């Protein structure tokens, strides 16, 4: 499967493994709290509901789900911090 080239795309990387909705969102929120507007966070998540959870969270918070890529054991998401 394709893997995102993080050297050109992500300012920060977060591997969340099997964390579920509430844990996943909390970890992303904490990571993005320390980021500047426009910076990106590459999230790797194996939980099957991660795509839905991250899309909804981005909509509600003004952040952007810039890219979603399949990964060998889960998914990778490139999130951009909103203004």
């Amino acid at each position: 499967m394709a893997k995102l080239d993080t050297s050109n795309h992500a300012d920060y990387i977060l591997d969340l493994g099997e964390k579920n909705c509430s844990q996943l969102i909390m970890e992303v929120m904490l990571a993005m709290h320390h980021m500047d507007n426009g910076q990106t966070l590459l999230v790797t998540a194996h939980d099957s509901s991660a795509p839905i959870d991250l899309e909804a969270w981005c909509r509600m918070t003004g952040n952007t789900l810039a890219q979603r890529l399949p990964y060998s054991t889960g998914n990778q998401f490139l999130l951009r911090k909103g203004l």
Side-chain angles (χ1 to χ4, degrees), residues 41-77:
L41 175 67
L42 177 68
V43 177
T44 301
H46 308 289
D47 184 60
S48 60
S49 65
I52 295 165
D53 296 337
L54 288 172
E55 279 184 43
W57 181 79
C58 284
R59 265 193 322 273
M60 292 186 307
T61 60
N63 297 298
T64 303
L65 177 55
Q67 192 171 9
R68 177 181 170 202
L69 293 172
Y71 187 55
S72 59
T73 58
N75 289 289
Q76 289 187 312
F77 307 89

Side-chain angles (χ1 to χ4, degrees), residues 8-24:
N8 294 327
H9 294 85
D11 296 301
Y12 297 94
I13 299 170
L14 185 61
D15 187 346
L16 297 173
E18 297 292 332
K19 293 187 179 179
N20 63 20
C21 176
S22 60
Q23 293 172 314
L24 182 139

